């Protein structure tokens, strides 16, 4: 099902970066954020596009940093925080970087200025958030996939949304085209300047 917008409907995008990245990879493509933003700017009255991701700050170089910098310069509102390191009961080192609270707060605060929230995530923890926003008269569309194995969207979130949009159906609009000029691995993007061209900007999240 394609996303549908009404005339002059105020729209906000809320992108759970890690979740969207995992869903796209499960379907075999990467997201081209330049194309994604351009599509929504052309199709609706886009008020704001938020992107959420956690960063490992003690690394000498994070492969996410070039993407974060590019998005920050090119129309996205970036929301980041440092990951937390802990040791589990088995003595294994774990890294946690959950952005659910940040995303939920922003959606609730922005809902007064929006008619339609587009949530790029399949996380079932957002079901209550979607319900709360709907009670304020705001439509909510969820973008994720049921075509991966296993499906990336929680059934309760899909049921709660006013509209569920299959990510694979948007691939022709938001998928990153293969760039034959680029032979360097994505991690090598650290050599690129912060304002790199969109065609060379990394698309991993």
């Amino acid at each position: 099902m394609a996303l549908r917008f009404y005339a002059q409907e105020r729209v906000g995008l809320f992108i759970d970066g890690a979740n969207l990245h995992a869903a796209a990879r499960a379907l075999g493509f990467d997201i081209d954020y330049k194309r994604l933003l351009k599509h929504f700017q052309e199709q609706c009255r886009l008020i704001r596009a938020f992107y959420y991701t956690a960063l490992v700050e003690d690394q000498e170089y994070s492969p996410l940093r070039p993407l974060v910098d590019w998005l920050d310069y090119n129309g996205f509102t970036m929301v980041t925080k440092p990951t937390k390191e802990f040791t589990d009961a088995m003595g294994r080192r774990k890294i946690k970087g959950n952005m659910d609270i940040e995303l939920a707060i922003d959606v609730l605060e922005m809902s007064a200025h929006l008619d339609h929230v587009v949530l790029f995530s399949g996380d079932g923890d957002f079901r209550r958030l979607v319900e709360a926003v709907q009670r304020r008269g705001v439509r909510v569309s969820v973008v994720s996939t049921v075509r991966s194995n296993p499906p990336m969207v929680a059934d309760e979130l899909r049921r709660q949304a006013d509209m569920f949009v299959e990510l694979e159906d948007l691939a022709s609009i938001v998928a990153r085209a293969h760039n034959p000029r680029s032979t360097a691995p994505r991690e090598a993007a650290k050599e690129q300047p912060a304002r790199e061209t969109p065609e060379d900007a990394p698309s991993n999240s």
Side-chain angles (χ1 to χ4, degrees):
M1 182 182 295
L3 277 162
R4 296 192 302 268
F5 301 106
Y6 298 113
Q8 296 304 307
E9 187 177 44
R10 299 168 300 172
V11 178
L13 308 185
F14 298 84
I15 301 173
D16 179 347
N19 196 284
L20 177 59
H21 170 69
R25 279 298 176 89
L27 294 171
F29 66 89
D30 292 321
I31 300 294
D32 184 328
Y33 289 98
K34 177 187 177 185
R35 294 182 68 195
L36 185 152
L37 188 65
K38 183 173 184 288
H39 172 73
F40 282 94
Q41 287 172 333
E42 293 174 347
Q43 295 297 316
C44 63
R45 184 183 171 194
L46 184 61
I47 303 300
R48 191 80 65 198
F50 291 87
Y51 185 98
Y52 301 83
T53 191
L55 296 172
V56 181
E57 291 199 331
D58 60 352
Q59 287 184 346
E60 181 178 348
Y61 166 70
S62 168
L64 276 178
R65 179 53 65 183
L67 173 65
V68 169
D69 288 343
W70 187 88
L71 293 173
D72 204 18
Y73 279 121
N74 289 274
F76 288 84
T77 299
M78 300 303 300
V79 183
T80 65
K81 73 176 181 183
T83 56
K84 293 183 178 180
E85 184 178 331
F86 66 97
T87 303
D88 67 11
M90 301 295 293
R92 293 171 298 194
R93 177 176 173 267
K94 298 283 188 177
I95 294 178
K96 182 180 180 180
N98 193 306
M99 300 293 295
D100 289 6
I101 294 298
E102 288 79 5
L103 189 152
I105 290 172
D106 288 344
V107 170
L108 288 171
E109 288 185 345
M110 286 294 296
S111 63
H113 310 287
L114 300 173
D115 304 302
H116 190 170
V117 165
V118 181
L119 174 64
F120 286 81
S121 181
D123 191 338
D125 288 344
F126 290 131
R127 189 202 70 79
R128 287 282 290 130
L129 169 66
V130 171
E131 183 183 27
V133 172
Q134 289 169 330
R135 288 200 300 266
R136 299 183 178 196
V138 178
R139 287 203 304 144
V140 181
S141 295
V142 167
V143 182
S144 187
T145 183
V146 296
R147 296 178 188 167
S148 58
N149 188 17
M152 295 293 292
V153 62
D155 186 60
E156 61 268 25
L157 179 64
R158 184 182 178 191
R159 289 171 180 267
Q160 186 67 48
D162 294 291
M163 183 186 304
F164 171 73
V165 180
E166 170 58 50
L167 179 60
E168 190 175 46
D169 293 341
L170 296 179
S172 61
I173 298 170
V174 304
R176 177 183 174 90
H178 174 64
N179 184 356
R181 296 176 300 167
S182 177
T183 58
R186 293 183 189 278
E187 287 75 16
K190 65 181 179 180
E191 301 299 331
Q192 297 291 330
R195 286 183 178 268
E196 59 200 351
T197 61
E199 290 77 11
D200 294 327
S203 60
N204 59 322
S205 59

